[in-house]
Amino acid sequence: MLDIKNLHVKLEEEDKQILKGVDLSVEAGKVHAIMGPNGSGKSTLSYVLSGRDGYEVTEGSATLDGEDLLELEPEERAALGVFLAFQYPVEIPGVGNMTFLRTATNAQRKARGEEELSASDFLKLVRERAKALKIDADMLKRPVNVGFSGGEKKRNEILQMAMLEPKMCILDETDSGLDVDAMKLVADGVNALRDADRAFLVITHYQRLLDHIKPDVVHIMADGRIVKTGGPELALEVENNGYGDILAEVQ
Ligand code: ADP
Ligand code: MG
Ligand code: MG
């Protein structure tokens, strides 16, 4: 589904190379995790895939089902089914959460060639999915993420994902700042969406999220590259020994 080859990315503003040849293939139906020390380029990878400004691809490619993502505007990527749950979710003052969710959900359905949801069907669905994430009615009425706690923002990102039903879900440290109960809610939200036609890229610092979202493949990223790939046991190795041994081994 997602195919990244030899991706090199630098900052637009300064001459700083951040991604230095990322190779990654994520197949439909799979969950891939990316772990790695702070500053290794994990967020940059997710931003570049979603089309955020400020980065320049200097070499390599990224395709989704064969379509060149890097040529597309962020909203075109979203229409193709790329979704990024942000490490730092943005507040949108003046836009009600419910209105935002409804507009985005219907736009996504339209992009997939599906019918829009009626007002009552949408309401039913959003309430059901919000309830599963313990997001109360009040949070649905407020402006998007404004005044939400860190944990509420992260759960709201997962609610967006659950409503949009994207094909390629990228989660950037959605677990950071969450207590164990909130992390379980997030994991349950992800697991409910696991499907043969959908893939996940889960970026995390901590193995504990991966106790709840069992990854098929774990990658270690360091200094702008994927330096090691393995199964779930790789996450346990990181948890027990840190990154030191792995980095020493690949240098
Ligand atoms: P990670 O998510 O793995 O912690 P990031 O992708 O956030 O890593 O950052 C990778 C490196 O790029 C870091 O050294 C970071 O400081 C740098 N970087 C990323 N974006 C910017 C930016 N807009 N301006 C300056 N440095 C940046
Ligand atoms: Mg970081
Ligand atoms: Mg990051």
Side-chain angles (χ1 to χ4, degrees):
M1 180 176 287
L2 177 67
D3 235 324
I4 302 171
K5 291 203 179 87
N6 194 32
L7 190 64
H8 286 67
V9 171
K10 68 181 268 299
L11 290 177
E12 229 159 48
E13 295 286 302
E14 26 175 322
D15 207 18
K16 184 174 175 186
Q17 200 74 31
I18 299 177
L19 300 184
K20 304 173 181 173
V22 173
D23 286 292
L24 178 65
S25 287
V26 184
E27 311 80 7
K30 302 290 184 193
V31 175
H32 284 228
I34 298 186
M35 304 180 80
N38 255 322
S40 54
K42 304 181 298 297
S43 289
T44 300
L45 177 62
S46 65
Y47 292 150
V48 169
L49 292 175
S50 65
R52 180 163 164 158
D53 285 341
Y55 302 96
E56 186 187 329
V57 175
T58 54
E59 213 182 320
S61 62
T63 58
L64 187 79
D65 290 332
E67 293 232 33
D68 183 357
L69 284 180
L70 304 177
E71 286 295 311
L72 301 176
E73 296 300 321
E75 54 277 12
E76 295 173 312
R77 301 181 199 203
L80 277 185
V82 177
F83 177 87
L84 171 61
F86 288 104
Q87 181 169 2
Y88 305 106
V90 282
E91 300 186 357
I92 316 180
V95 179
N97 205 14
M98 190 79 103
T99 307
F100 175 81
L101 286 167
R102 182 157 182 223
T103 306
T105 301
N106 280 329
Q108 195 70 32
R109 293 178 69 90
K110 207 169 158 201
R112 285 198 298 259
E114 296 169 9
E115 286 205 9
E116 289 193 0
L117 290 173
S118 69
S120 66
D121 285 347
F122 169 77
L123 210 55
K124 193 161 165 262
L125 197 63
V126 77
R127 282 188 179 145
E128 181 186 304
R129 294 192 172 163
K131 192 174 169 209
L133 288 159
K134 294 213 162 63
I135 291 172
D136 62 31
D138 181 50
M139 267 169 72
L140 290 175
K141 284 184 203 141
R142 279 149 61 185
V144 180
N145 288 328
V146 176
F148 289 20
S149 73
E152 286 170 345
K153 285 180 181 173
K154 296 297 182 89
R155 277 184 283 139
N156 203 42
E157 293 285 290
I158 300 302
L159 177 61
Q160 284 173 24
M161 188 172 84
M163 291 307 295
L164 297 184
E165 304 179 351
K167 198 151 75 168
M168 181 71 235
C169 305
I170 306 168
L171 284 76
D172 188 7
E173 291 195 31
T174 301
D175 52 334
S176 66
L178 294 185
D179 59 36
V180 177
D181 292 328
M183 193 186 63
K184 277 192 191 136
L185 289 174
V186 162
D188 289 346
V190 169
N191 289 329
L193 278 175
R194 284 178 88 152
D195 184 284
D197 299 323
R198 181 171 290 129
F200 293 85
L201 196 54
V202 178
I203 298 169
T204 179
H205 264 301
Y206 302 107
Q207 192 273 333
R208 54 174 200 175
L209 179 69
L210 305 179
D211 282 337
H212 303 287
I213 304 174
K214 297 256 184 310
D216 298 290
V217 183
V218 175
H219 307 276
I220 307 296
M221 191 159 177
D223 193 23
R225 283 189 201 91
I226 305 271
V227 296
K228 190 166 181 177
T229 295
E233 74 286 349
L234 195 50
L236 286 171
E237 192 185 326
V238 168
E239 180 82 350
N240 294 329
N241 307 325
Y243 293 108
D245 290 354
I246 294 169
L247 300 189
E249 187 186 307
V250 296
Q251 256 152 27

